[in-house]
Every structure is written in C-alpha cells, then in structure tokens.
Amino acid sequence: MLASPEPKGLVPFTKESFELIKQHIAKTHNEEHEEDLKPNPDLEVGKELPFIYGNLSQGMVSEPLEDVDPYYYKKKNTFIVLNKNRTIFRFNAASILCTLSPFNCIRGTTIKVLAHPYPFLVLLDCIFMSLTNLPKWRPVLENTLLGIYTFEILVKLFARGVWAGSFSFLGDPWNWLDFSVTVFEVIIRYSPLNFIPMLQTARTLRILKIIPLNQGLKSLAGVLTHCLKKLIGVIILTLFFLSVFSLIGMGLFMGNLKHKCFRWPQENENETLHNKTGNPYYIRETENFYYLEGERYALLCGNRTDAGQCPEGYVCVKAGINPDHGFTNFDSFGWALFALFRLMAQDYPEVLYHQILYASGKVYMIFFVVVSFWFSFYMASLFLGILAMAYEEEKQRVGQTSKKIEPKFQQTGKELQEGNETDKAKTIQIEMKKRSPTSTDTSLDVLEDATLRHKEELEKSKKICPLYWYKFATTFLIWNCSPCWSKLKEFVHRIVMAPFTDLFLIICIILNICFLALERYPMSKSTNNLLNVGNLVFIGIFTAEMIFKIIAMHPYGYFQVGWNIFDSVIVFHGLTELCLANVEGMALFRLFRMLRIFKLGKYWPTFQILMRSLSNAWVTLRNLVLLLFTFMFFSAAFGMRLFGQNYEEFVCHIDKNCQLPRWHMHDFFHSYLNVFRILCGEWVETLWDCMEVAGQSWCIPFYLMVILIGNLLFFYIFLENCSFSSCKDVTAEENNEAKNLQLAVARIKKGINYVLLKILCKKQNVPKDTMDHVNEVYVKEDISDHTISELSNAQDLLKDKEKSSGTEKNTTENESQSLIPSPSVSETVPIASGESDIENPDNKEIQSKSGDGDSKEKIKQSSSSECSTVDIALSEEEEMFYGSERSKHPKNGCGRGSSLGQTSGASKKGKIWQNIRKTCCKIVENNWFKCFIGLVTLLSTGTLAFEDIYIDQRKTIKILLEYADMIFTYIFILEMLLKWMAYGFKAYFSNGWYRLDFVVVIVFCLSLIGKTREELKPLISMKFLRPLRVLSQFERMKVVVRALIKTTLPTLNVFLVCLMIWLIFSIMGVDLFAGRFYECIDPTSRERFPSSKVMNKSQCESLLFNESMPWENAKMNFDNVGNGFLSLLQVATFNGWITIMNSAIDSVAVNIQPRFEVNIYTYCYFINFIIFGVFLPLSMLISVIIDNFNKHKIKISSNIFITVKQRKQYRRLKKLMYEDSQRPVPRPRNKLQGFIFDLVTSQVFNVIVMVLICFQAIAMMIDTDGQSLEMYIALYWINSIFVMLYTMECILKLIALRCFYFTIVWNIFDFMVVIFSITGLCLPMTVGSYLVSPSFVQLILLSRIIHMLRLGKGPKVFHNLMLPLMLSLPALLNIILLIFLVMFIYAIFGMYNFAYVKKEAGINDVSNFETFGSSMLCLFQVAIFAGWDGMLDAIFNSKWSDCDPDKINPGTQVRGDCGNPSVGIFYFVSYILISWLIIVNMYIVVVMEFLNIASKKKNKTLSEDDFRKFFQVWKRFDPDRTQYIDSSKLSDFAAALDPPLFMAKPNKGQLIALDLPMAVGDRIHCLDILLAFTKRVMGQDVRMEKLLSEIESGFLLANPFKITCEPITTTLKRKQEAVSATIIQRAYKNYRLRRNDKNTSHIHMIDDDRDVHATKEGAYFDKAKEKSPIQSQI
C-alpha cells in the first residue's frame, strides 16, 4: 500500500504546521489502530520531486517545506528541502540531542549549503589519490581538502543534528564513514606519534563518497546488501564444505608436497654435486635436489607406484620447503583452506593438480574432480540462483511500484499535454487564417489534418533541433531544381533501391571483410598491392553508393537515416586515410577500417536487435557499471597506498634482479591492472608476491575483499545483462535493404530453378502464382515481429514460410531427417497405410484417403508400423493413448510394406518375402536383441581404451583386440542388414540415428581395411568415431543430444554476431601486433636478450659468440587472422593470456627487439576485448540458450534433459527429499529400554550428537605437519574419546531400537563408522603405523559430518540449498554421461595423434596422451579451461629445432616426438566449444530448478508435497485411521502443520471462523479440514474450484471406504450456541441473585462485566459468520 493517492502541493514548513504535526503524532499514539502507510518510493531522498506536486517557485528553493509523503509527514515528523533541480532532501524536525530548531537561522543557513552538494571535490580528491609522484604543493592541497571535509561535517551536524531520527547525522551510515575517515586523517596529519602508519590508507575510503552522492548508486548498494543477506545461507554452506574438504585434504596430502627427488651420494664421492640444468634458484634449498629444465622448484615425487618417480640415482625424501614460496600445502588447516579456496575459484588449478598427483598419485584425481564439480559447478550455481532470485524480486518490486504510480503521473501528464495541444491548435488556426484570408470557408477536417501534421512536426523539432535548422534544411538540402534533375533523381532512385543493388553491396561488404582478413605477416609485395588496390576499389564503391543515395534521397532525406550517417562516416574515413597515407604516426588510423564490418548490420536483423537490446541494457546497467568501476578504482588506490611502499622496499624477495615484476601495486595503473586481473580470476600468483613483500595479515583480507565483492558485482551485472540480452521485447524496425536482399535471393532461386528445369527438359511443376506468393512472403515478411530467439531459429522461420507458401511436407519425413524427433514412447517406420497390417477403427477416414499426398500430415497411427524408427509428433495425451494402444497390439505391423518394390499379396514369393521381413522385424524389435547390441556397443567402445602406447608390448591383448574388432564389425554389419530387411532402405536412411549407426559401421570396415596394408594404416585412426554409436543405443543420450540441439541451434545467428565481434578484434590485433612478437633468445637459458645488447634482428643474427642465434616468434601471435582468433581464445579462457599480453606490452615494431613494458597502454586492447568480446557475447549466448530452454520446458511441462521414465523417478525423488522415508520404530515395553528409547529419539540427543561431530571436526583442525610428540599423543586420545562416545551412542541405539536399528540406513552407516574407527585405533598397535595411516581414524570419524545435511537433523537451510541438486540429479546424470562420452572420444583421438609428443610445457609425466587415464585427466583439465594452452604449446613443436621427428620410442614402431599444430588446434578448439555448451546447460538446469522451487514457494499454490505433509501430520493425530479428529485437537493440529497450511497459535478464532462441519461427538472429518485450509491459502484464486474438486476426487479414490457421518452442526454454530447459553445462564443467575439477596450488589457488577465480554464475543462471531471462509484470514 502506497501513500495517499491525492498528492498535495508544496507548502512552506512553519511553526504552525510543526505544532499540527506534533498534535497529529500524539493523537495517533493514543489511538489503537494506526493508518497503514508506507513510504512512497518516488519520494525517497535524492530523487527528483515529480511535477504532479506543482511547480517550484524561486522562493521555495532551499527552504523548509512540509513533507509531501504522508508516511513521513504523519509518522516521522520530518520536512523536506528542494534545490533548483527539485532534488529531495529530508530532515528531522524534532529537537533532540544537540539538534537546532528547524526555524533557527544557523540551521537554515547550513541546510541551504547542504542542499547544493559539490561532487567535483570528491572527483578531484580521487584523481589526486591515484597519483604516485605527488607535486610539491601536495600538503597545501591535502590541508585544503581536509578543511573542506571538516567544514562539510560541521554543516551536516548543524543541518541534520547529531541524533534526531533516521535523517540526522548519525542516522546515515555514510556520515559515520566520513567522520571516521576525517578523524583518522586529522590524527595522522597532526599527531606527533606516527604509531599507526596503516591508518594513512583510510583516506582512500573517501572514494566511496561517490556512492551517496549518486542516488542510483546508493539504492543499488542497498539492493546488493539485500542480496548479501540472502546469500548468507550459501556462504555458510560454502564455508562448511570448504572446511570439510580441507580436512579431507589434510588427511590425504599433509606433508606430501615436501617430497622431492634427492641425489643419493655414491661411494668415494667427495665433490659438490651440481644440477645439470643450471637452475639459479636451487641453492635456496639444497644442491642435491633434482630440477626440471626451467623450473624454479624441485621436482616432486611420491612413494606410490602411480605417483611421480625420480630419475636414476635419485631417491624420494621429505625435505625442504613447500612449492610456491611455501604457500601451497596441506600441512595445516589454514593452508588447506587456502588451497581449497583456490580450487573453488579455479585459479591455476592445473598446477595444484600436478603437484598433488606427482606427490601422492594419480588416483587422487578423484578428489579434484569432486571438488571441481562441487564448488566450481554446484556452489557457483547456487550463488547464481540466489542472485537471480533476488534480481527477479527486485524487478517485480519495481514493476509493481511503477504500475501503481504510473496511472497518476500519466493522468496528470495527459492533462498537461492536452492543454498544450489545444493552445497549439488555436495558434495554428489563427496562423492559417492570416495566411489565407480568402479561404474563410475552409472545412474543419482540413484544419484538423493540418493541426495534426503541425503537431508531429513540432514534436520532431523539439526532439532533434530548433525550427530554423529545418528551414535551412528545406531550403538548401532538398534539391528540386529542374525537371531534368527530377528525372535523373528518379532514375538513380530506381537503381539504388533495386534488390540486386543491395545484393551487390552486401557482396562488396563481405569481400571487403575478406580483404581485411587477408592481411598477415610476412606478406609479399603482390599481395600487399592487391590489398591496397582492393581497398581503393571498395572505397570507391562505398563513395559511389553514398553519392547515388544522396542524389536519390536529397541530403536531407539521406541523413535522416542512421545507417546512412554511418555509411558516410566510413566513406569520409576512407578518403581521409587516402589523403594521410604518407603521414607518419597515422598507423592507428587504419584501425577504423574495422567499422566497415558493421555495415553488415544493415542487412542483418539479429545484429540490429542485439544492438538495440544492448543499448536498452546500458540504461539500466550504467549504475551497476559505475559502481563496479568505483569499486575497482577504490581497490586500486587502496592497494597502492597499502602495498606500494612494500613492493619498492622488498622487491628483492620476489625478483632476483631486484626489479619490479609486471604485476605489482607500486603505482596506480599497475594496481588497477592487478585488480582487473583478480576480477578475471587470476589472483594467486600476485597474492604470493604480495605475501612475500607485505605479509599475509594484510594481503589475504585485501584479496578476499576484491574477489568476493567484485564477483558479486560481476555476477549481478551478468544476470542483468542476460535479462536484457534475451530481447523479448526488442524488435527490429523495418529495413528496406534487408527486404531487398531477401527479394533478390528469391529471384535468383527462381531463375536457377527455371534454368535447371529447362535443361532437364521437364515442365515446371510449381505454379507461377505460388512463386509470386513466395516472393511476396520474402518481401512482406515483417521482421519487426520477431525477437532474437525467433530470428535466430532458422528452422522455425523456414517452416513458417513453407506453410505460408502452401508447400506441405510429410511430418514423418521432416522429423526423421533430423536428430530431433518428437518425444514418443516407441519408434516406428513409415509404411504405406494400404499395406499395413494395423487395423485402427478410429482412422478409417484417414486410411481411405491415404493415397492422397496432402493427407500425410494427418496420419498418426495408421501410417506407421511397430518397427518404425521415426518419431511422430504427438502430444502428451495422444502419446499416453497410443502408448496403451501399442501395448495391446504388439509387433503386428512389421510387414507388408516394401520399400524395395511392390509385390503382390497373392504371389507366393511375395508372401515369403513378407514373412522374411516380419521375422527380421521381430528380431530387431526384440528386447533381448536390443540389450545384446547395447552390450556389444559398450564392449566395442571400451576396448579402445586399451590401445595406448604400451599395446605393442602386450601382444596377447593386442591379438584379442584384433579378433574383437572383427567380431564387433560382423555383428554390427549383421544388425544393419537385419534392419535393412525389416525396414527397407528408405525408412532406414530417413532416421538420423540409423544414419549415425551406418557411419559407425563404415568406420569399423575402414579400420579393418587399414590393417591389411601399410599405406592404408591411417584409416585405423578413425576408430575414435566408434563410441558415437552409444548415442543411438541409449535413450538418455538421445534425450540430451536432442535437448542440446534444441537449445543451441537457435543461437547460431547470435553466435555469428559474436564471431563478427571477434573478427574485428582479430583484425585489429593483426594491425597492431603483426610481426612484432619476434625476439632474440639465448638458446641456453631460453631467456630474451635485453634490448641494450640486441636492438633488432640484424644485431641478433650478427652475434659472434653463437652462429645460429634464434630470432624466434611467439607461438601465440597475431601474424594473421587465424592466429589472432587462437590467441583471443586463450585470452577469453584466461589460459596463456598473461604470456600473450606480455608479448604485446613489450612489442616495439617489426624486426625490433622487444623492451620491457615499452607499450604498456596496449593493455587497453585486451581489457576492451574481455569486456566487449567475452563478457557481452557470453551473456548474449547464454540468454538465448536460457530462452530456448524455458520455451521447450514449457512445451513439455518438464525438464527437457530427462526421459519419460525419469520424470516418474523425479517425482519419487521429490517425495524422498520432502519426507523421512523411515518407518516409525515401536517403543519397547521394558522401562529401561523405553527410557533409553525416549532419550535417543529426542531432539536434545540429536543436538548433542551434532555438537560432538562439530567438536570432532574442530579437533582435526588443530593437526599440523611436523607437530610435537605431545600434540600427537593429545590428538590420539581426543580421537579415542570421540570413538568411545560414538560407540556409546551406537550401543544405546542398539538397546533402544533392538533389531529395528539395522532397518535404518543412517544407523548402518554409523555402525560401520564405529567398527572402522575401533579397527583403525587398534591396528597400529599390532601391525604398526605403516599399513594404517594416522589420519585414517580421523577421516572415518569425519564422515559422520554428512549428518549435517540430513532432513530434520542438520540446519534446514542446508537441506533447502541441497534440494535443487537432488531434484536436478537425473538431468545432471544424463548430461554427465554425454560429457563422459565426449571426453572418451577425444581421449581416444588424443591417444592416436598426440601420444608421442615431446614432454614439455603442459604435457608431462602426469598430463599426457600416452594412456587412456592420462588422456582423460588432460581432458578434464581442458573442460574446466585449465592448462590447455600448455598442452597446445607442446603440440606446436613441429620443427627440427623444437622436436626430433626421427626419435626412436622404445617398445613401438612409431618414430618422432613432434606434434601436429593444425590437428591440435582443431582438437582443442572443438572440444572447448562442445564442453562449454554442455556445461552451460548443466548450470542452467540447476539454476532453473532453484528458481522453480523458489517461485513455487513464493506463489500461493499448494503442491503435492504440501498435501503429503498434511497427511503425515494427520497420522499422528488420528493413529486409528478413523478419518476424524476431536475438535479440541484442531488447534494443535493446525499449529503442527508446515507452511503454507500452518496456522500459528492462538488460532482458535481463525479455526472457528472457517465454519467447519462437525459430526456427532464434536468430530471433524479430514477432508473438510483439508478443503477449508486449502481455501484459506488459495483465497479467491481462479484455480481454487478446480483444485478443490481434484482434492476431493483424489481423496475418494485413495479412501474408497470413506467413513461417512452426517454433520449435525459447524464450529461457528457450536461457538454461537455456547456463547448464547452462557449469556442466558448468567442472566438467569443474576435475576435469581437480585431477587433473593439484595446485599450482593458487587456480584452483579462482576456479572455485568462478564455479560459485556460475552456480548462482544458473540458480536465477533456474528461478524465472522457473515464473511466467507476464503476471506477469513484474520
């Protein structure tokens, strides 16, 4: 409810009004019922006062006025002040705690000052704080600003008062911040003691003053604070899981990262041993550790067989420090938590993977897979889901507010507009009379038309420019000189507006883009000349286009169109570039050529819609972007002030040459870049440097602040951008060029068809009027009616056009040609209805018309046999019907139809052929045959995993695999032949899945052929396609593939737009960096020569001390557009992007040696790409995928990633999640057992157990590596105590529950924990601690912490947050199966192509393609975008200088260790795109499930779970199942229910008002209570009657033996009868007392009071009876 609907005008705030406010507040305090007023959101502080409150006179500016918001005026005792911009400032009028009177002259003056803020002072201070080299007049400026801020605080104190309410000085938290910062600054400036140097950084908090100065930022900060409150549950759950996994990591990896390869000294060896690699850092630890080439830290190793092994002569020992400056380890809880947080944020996870796998073994990859899935996927999905929910709530709140307020403003605005329009109409009529005095008899219609035209002109002139500019334009820019010129203009207009002209222009644009993309380095002179000539030609064409359009449209009309203005800018740029071609320093001018690519947008509706949606989004996003920029600016300045001096003093700790690294915070620009890098997810390396120079106590809090707040802002911007990028309400305006292009293409198609028909000597079957209609459709298709999803879905548009042109196709054929058949229960093959054995009485009419081709769409059941593999589009109701029909007629339709040729039914041969086909059909449709084929498919797929580099050494396995391949091939060929016989060629090849099977069979055959000859051996590598057959064999795979196609194919148009943006950045990169990444490298140390020694390429080649000094290019460069795309992909995935940026920053010119950070502002190129090339396209793609997901989900009313069977499982899973499935255990009769039973089943006992579990986890956190013996013994006894306590719990439950103990799964789990814990404690005493790890008992005990997630045991917020994962588990499992299949295929492909690649960069002993397990490990890394740049870097070694093509690989005939760059690029890019699309859909499934649960809770709806909970509570109150409960129990029953049926006590009045029918004995029936409670929750909902009927019918079906008793009264009547009887009895009693005893007058008074009370009660229930039960929510 908003404030008073009648807005009052502006009234000065006087003493009289002040007294009236006081009297009104005092009066409302005395009244029992206060007005339900709420603040008006349009009258908040900082907003502009709406014009409906009247004009603001000059005398009212900066003067106290009565508050126009009734909420504050009547309740808060406030007044307002307006400045010239009508901005609202609100003040408390009360004089409390040093607050002056509102009429005091001092307070009035300070209020006037406060009403005119000066934000430029804050901006000046921000600029001053970002400077590193401060000027000499720094103290003067600092003192001046400090004086201004102190004066501002004093002004606020006088104007607002110290404390007088929420609008006083202390009522605003931002004032507290200002006051604190000013006090700190005064202390630092004028205190003689410099004891708190860190307080100097507090001054940077003043940057945050920008937020309260902007009302949009201030309200947005409040929204984000509200989001943080909602995120508290997720934050607690995240910390819980981080702690649990940290403890598990401590138990598994404590001390392992100190294991290194140590050089074991030989006999008679006295000399000092040095490392052969010459690593300069190994002296820090010991000279006898082994280092890999170029590595800073010693090689890690482990004692397990699958861990890293030391080279010959070295042994694995535990010595030295941990890697990464000692910061990466699991030696204590703090560092383990830090490592887990790093894994959660996915910052260089591949490095931590390799370190752990080297030190502990590859089997522990399972730990990292679980951690990555849980944190990077699920917890991130929860964060996104809650933020999306909060965003939707805020959106709905704003929408509801605007709906309530807009009508008032619109009405007032219309009145003002109507008044202005009438005045304008009068003036126009007067002017027309003056111009034509003779035409006094002009009709009113002409006057009205002229008035309307003049109104439109005036509105346009107001919007664009003044009227005299229009006079100038009509005089000089509209060319109607002579008739000859008009004819020329018409002729040119026909040419320019012709469809083929636009087709020619778009071909020129595409050719120009190709010419721009052809630039590369090095480039021959001929190619360079060709590109220059092409540039001149295209400039000429675009210039001619502009000139001709100006002639045809006049300059005035030409420049009215936005695209024409853009074209003219491109032409002027091209001409200017030609004029300035020989001027030095104009190289950057060439970058503006990229604007020509945007000319495609004129002919591309999707591009126009995206641009419009982004422009609309910017209006809303500008405050968010400004807030993010403010936070980044503050973080950069804060970091520079906090750590800048430390980087300068302790730089030698992080660099051997004592030079500042690339990423530091010594100056503002580098600090800002560092903050940007942290927000991109790359922070751990810079954090290590920060902790080395400044310590952990300040660096870790600072980085946590930037990561958490920055990601919150980033995710919120992402969600808001996604909501606007969906373009649901954005349409493309009509564009003649796009229509002309479609018309030209249609005419070309028509001409080609005509020519082909003439050549083939056939008559044209398509009528002329049909083709004309098609052309009209192409022209008249209204593009403005389509949104992004519709325009991007090419298939839907094509179907619409085909339908509109009258061309109808068979639904069966259409669906069988794609991999997206409709979700039918079984698969059928199309057989002519006249030949089918199926007799369907419902389709006689259809069967009689089966010969007509136009009736094919209507055929459903009669046009298919039971053996069909083509899915027919059926609705869910039809699907259920036909599914039951098919079950009644099993396998009767395999028959008569033959696609090989028509055979006579009377012919004996025909019958034999028919019987053969029926037999084949029965075989292929048999369930056992399908299971056998599925098993063979899995076996044939699994055998590929054994073909690794060791297959030649395992000859037996190799021979078995060869025979298995032959057997599998013959089986699949036989299956294919059987299906050909059963279905026929046409039916078989019309199904997409069978076509896929046919391709796989061809692959099998080719692999067998490849084994016969040496020259055909490459065919064997096609085996990696064999697992594709799994897709067609399993329904879960099919469902996921169909769903992915449905959600991703419509994004093709948007993907092309994103590709165009990337093309622009790639071409810009080629112009900026082509040929500039070359450098002169020392071949021994692989480091770049300093530019002081080598200046350019010629000096590098002329160095005397090395004959072949390499002038090498970076592997990732911008020498051509293709390399540019690959480099940008690495930047987009944040893999290898630091190396690429370093090369760009150091680049000088072509053939010039790079210098350190000589071109530092090139960072702007990469920052812009990350914003406009990664963030915006990503949000656009994901928004379209979400739209398609929701669209298809609405169609089937379920998740599109699950099968029909899984939908039933989904409902069962939902039941399990909402209720405790365990049966109640009967209480034992024995007193002692009963007492123990009550104890172990009580809530207190459960709480005690949970506390014990938490204490046990806390005890584990104390454990550290290398702790003292005393601490070890103490922890041992602590674990023993917990084991004893858990054993006691187990014994007590066994005594209380008896044999029922083992019927509960959780009890079995606890029992196993106790058994293993006791075993773990006793075994070390007998066999020693070598077989049993000391942490074994701790990990076993820790497993009990899973009880925290149980329903009814742990916190309810944990259960609510785990619910989306559990409910989306079936869909997630299906998607994970597809991900595993994709990883399997790519792992086999990698084993065939990259198994022998030289081990360097990202390919090492752990991550390689030698075996199937190692390949899967590599692909897991790539799936989370971790470390694929290093693998590609190793595969790029294809030259003699980088690898050895003749290297002999032991145990195999394959030679060489070189990679294949082109295959590697295709391999990684395709895998990244496919895995990204699948993983994005995984995120969408979980987030949408979360939003679905949240929306159901928010809406006033009752689900199946609510009714289930109702009956669960009913069982407790009606144990005998009589279906009735006593009315006295009704209050307790209502209070025991869960929301929304829950009714808190006291609830007797509400229950009586429900008017429930009562049977004999004051009993109430279950169904009556349920119906009444449902009415109470649903209210006047239109779905209520339907729901009530469904409840009643469902109850009768579930309880056919309903015990019926005729109701004799209701709860309301019974209460009225009781009240009436009480009144009569008391009246009669009073009458008898008055008559018999005159001395008991005081008793009469008491009885009178009771009578009054009873009368009030009766009146209350009379009123309740008048109300309907639905409206009785009292």
Side-chain angles (χ1 to χ4, degrees), residues 92 320 344 379 405 455 598 754 856 1079 1198 1270 1381 1546:
N92 289 100
M344 182 183 71
M379 300 310 297
I405 295 172
K455 282 180 191 174
F598 287 107
Y754 180 79
K856 288 182 180 179
E1079 55 187 2
S1198 179
E1270 291 80 7
L1381 180 64

Side-chain angles (χ1 to χ4, degrees), residues 840-1025:
N840 193 343
D842 297 332
N843 290 335
K844 290 181 180 178
E845 184 180 353
I846 295 175
Q847 290 176 0
S848 66
K849 297 180 181 180
S850 61
D852 189 4
D854 294 337
S855 63
K856 288 182 180 179
E857 283 185 350
K858 301 176 184 178
I859 298 172
K860 286 180 182 174
Q861 182 70 11
S862 63
S863 65
S864 63
S865 73
E866 283 296 327
C867 302
S868 175
T869 58
V870 180
D871 302 320
I872 300 175
L874 300 176
S875 64
E876 288 190 0
E877 292 81 2
E878 292 171 327
E879 188 174 285
M880 296 292 289
F881 172 74
Y882 289 120
S884 60
E885 287 295 321
R886 280 194 284 270
S887 63
K888 292 177 184 178
H889 305 282
K891 301 179 180 59
N892 291 331
C894 296
R896 296 178 182 175
S898 175
S899 58
L900 298 175
Q902 297 292 338
T903 57
S904 175
S907 173
K908 187 176 181 180
K909 294 182 180 179
K911 287 183 178 180
I912 294 172
W913 177 249
Q914 182 182 4
N915 291 332
I916 291 172
R917 291 198 64 194
K918 282 186 175 181
T919 305
C920 294
C921 185
K922 289 179 180 179
I923 293 173
V924 298
E925 286 294 317
N926 188 276
N927 289 330
W928 287 102
F929 181 81
K930 291 180 179 179
C931 292
F932 172 72
I933 294 298
L935 179 62
V936 172
T937 302
L938 292 177
L939 289 175
S940 66
T941 301
T943 55
L944 295 174
F946 294 96
E947 299 184 8
D948 51 23
I949 63 170
Y950 305 107
I951 190 64
D952 291 331
Q953 302 173 20
R954 303 164 182 165
K955 295 183 179 180
T956 306
I957 296 177
K958 185 177 181 181
I959 294 170
L960 289 175
L961 291 178
E962 289 178 355
Y963 281 109
D965 285 349
M966 295 172 63
I967 294 170
F968 296 147
T969 305
Y970 297 148
I971 290 173
F972 291 140
I973 291 174
L974 179 62
E975 183 213 9
M976 182 179 68
L977 293 175
L978 287 173
K979 287 185 177 179
W980 282 358
M981 294 289 287
Y983 303 148
F985 290 128
K986 183 178 180 182
Y988 182 88
F989 287 104
S990 62
N991 184 277
W993 300 114
Y994 287 169
R995 287 199 298 269
L996 182 63
D997 290 347
F998 177 76
V999 171
V1000 176
V1001 171
I1002 297 299
V1003 169
F1004 271 94
C1005 296
L1006 290 176
S1007 62
L1008 289 182
I1009 294 170
K1011 293 178 181 179
T1012 58
R1013 292 185 181 182
E1014 189 67 27
E1015 57 270 15
L1016 298 177
K1017 208 168 183 180
L1019 293 175
I1020 301 176
S1021 62
M1022 295 184 67
K1023 280 185 178 181
F1024 75 92
L1025 292 173

Side-chain angles (χ1 to χ4, degrees), residues 33 171 237 417 681 781 823 901 928 1011 1017 1227 1265 1310 1484 1668:
H33 303 285
L237 186 64
Q417 190 176 357
E781 184 78 12
W928 287 102
K1011 293 178 181 179
K1017 208 168 183 180
R1227 190 177 185 275
D1265 183 50
D1310 294 342
I1484 291 171
S1668 64

Side-chain angles (χ1 to χ4, degrees), residues 766 770 774 799 801-809 857:
V766 183
T770 305
V774 172
K799 288 178 184 176
K801 291 176 182 177
E802 287 175 354
K803 288 177 184 177
S804 62
S805 61
T807 59
E808 295 183 354
K809 295 186 178 180
E857 283 185 350

Side-chain angles (χ1 to χ4, degrees), residues 155 158 191 227 277 300 305 386 636 640 684 704 763 907 925 968 1011 1086 1135 1147 1160 1209 1256 1314 1650:
V155 167
F158 282 112
S191 175
C227 292
T277 58
L300 298 175
T305 55
I386 290 181
M640 183 187 69
V684 73
L704 279 177
K763 295 182 180 180
S907 173
E925 286 294 317
F968 296 147
K1011 293 178 181 179
R1086 302 302 300 171
N1135 278 256
S1147 63
I1160 192 171
Q1209 296 173 1
Q1256 193 264 327
V1314 170
R1650 289 179 179 175

Side-chain angles (χ1 to χ4, degrees), residues 2-48:
L2 292 172
S4 175
E6 296 296 332
K8 65 176 182 178
L10 298 176
V11 180
F13 186 73
T14 60
K15 293 182 179 180
E16 291 77 11
S17 57
F18 187 36
E19 291 298 328
L20 288 174
I21 292 173
K22 286 183 178 179
Q23 294 174 7
H24 179 77
I25 292 174
K27 184 179 179 182
T28 53
H29 277 304
N30 296 328
E31 292 180 358
E32 294 182 0
H33 303 285
E34 297 182 5
E35 289 185 75
D36 186 15
L37 295 175
K38 292 186 179 180
N40 192 332
D42 278 333
L43 297 176
E44 291 178 356
V45 176
K47 292 190 175 181
E48 291 186 10

Side-chain angles (χ1 to χ4, degrees), residues 58 61-63 81-85 89 109-120 213:
Q58 191 66 29
V61 176
S62 302
E63 294 293 335
V81 173
L82 304 175
N83 60 12
K84 293 180 180 179
N85 299 324
F89 295 85
T109 307
T110 54
I111 285 174
K112 290 180 180 180
V113 175
L114 194 62
H116 297 83
Y118 299 97
F120 68 89
L213 290 175

Side-chain angles (χ1 to χ4, degrees), residues 134-404:
L134 298 174
K136 295 180 180 179
W137 39 268
R138 166 193 171 184
V140 178
L141 181 61
E142 286 183 348
N143 291 331
T144 304
L145 291 173
L146 179 61
I148 293 173
Y149 292 138
T150 307
F151 175 73
E152 179 192 14
I153 290 174
L154 293 174
V155 167
K156 285 183 178 179
L157 283 170
F158 282 112
R160 297 194 174 277
V162 178
W163 178 252
S166 57
F167 300 103
S168 61
F169 182 83
L170 296 180
D172 190 353
W174 296 105
N175 292 335
W176 288 68
L177 178 67
D178 287 347
F179 182 77
S180 303
V181 173
T182 306
V183 169
F184 287 152
E185 195 169 356
V186 169
I187 293 172
I188 294 166
R189 190 74 51 81
Y190 300 107
S191 175
L193 300 176
N194 193 14
F195 57 93
I196 311 179
M198 289 299 176
L199 287 179
Q200 296 176 3
T201 58
R203 185 166 171 268
T204 55
L205 293 171
R206 212 179 290 283
I207 297 172
L208 300 178
K209 277 180 64 70
I210 296 173
I211 297 175
L213 290 175
N214 187 317
Q215 183 58 29
L217 295 182
K218 192 175 180 180
S219 60
L220 192 57
V223 171
L224 292 174
T225 306
H226 176 67
C227 292
L228 270 177
K229 292 178 182 177
K230 287 186 170 293
L231 286 171
I232 288 175
V234 189
I235 293 171
I236 295 172
L237 186 64
T238 306
L239 290 174
F240 171 76
F241 281 116
L242 276 175
S243 302
V244 172
F245 280 103
S246 300
L247 294 173
I248 295 173
M250 288 172 61
L252 296 176
F253 313 126
M254 182 181 289
N256 289 5
L257 294 181
K258 291 180 181 178
H259 290 174
K260 300 176 183 65
C261 292
F262 183 76
R263 177 76 161 92
W264 196 258
Q266 303 295 330
E267 294 182 4
N268 301 322
E269 187 174 14
N270 296 321
E271 60 182 349
T272 305
L273 300 174
H274 296 280
N275 193 277
K276 296 180 180 180
T277 58
N279 190 290
Y281 299 100
Y282 71 92
I283 302 174
R284 286 186 59 188
E285 296 180 343
T286 176
E287 298 175 355
N288 291 331
F289 286 155
Y290 182 82
Y291 291 82
L292 291 175
E293 185 177 354
E295 293 294 330
R296 181 170 185 174
Y297 297 99
L299 178 66
L300 298 175
C301 60
N303 296 318
R304 290 174 55 94
T305 55
D306 59 343
Q309 301 300 318
C310 294
E312 189 177 353
Y314 288 81
V315 293
C316 190
V317 297
K318 183 178 179 181
I321 65 169
N322 288 299
D324 304 324
H325 305 283
F327 299 133
T328 301
N329 61 77
F330 288 85
D331 296 349
S332 64
F333 178 75
W335 289 118
L337 189 67
F338 177 76
L340 263 295
F341 184 79
R342 174 185 168 188
L343 286 176
M344 182 183 71
Q346 291 294 303
D347 187 9
Y348 282 110
E350 70 276 10
V351 178
L352 188 54
Y353 295 163
H354 294 167
Q355 290 169 348
I356 291 296
L357 299 186
Y358 264 109
S360 303
K362 292 183 181 179
V363 69
Y364 291 107
M365 190 62 201
I366 300 171
F367 174 79
F368 293 105
V369 171
V370 173
V371 168
S372 297
F373 171 81
W374 195 257
F375 290 107
S376 302
F377 168 67
Y378 184 64
M379 300 310 297
S381 300
L382 280 184
F383 273 97
L384 282 172
I386 290 181
L387 277 178
M389 184 180 66
Y391 173 73
E392 288 297 327
E393 289 178 358
E394 181 66 19
K395 200 173 177 182
Q396 291 176 4
R397 186 187 68 81
V398 173
Q400 291 173 359
T401 304
S402 60
K403 283 180 183 178
K404 291 179 180 179

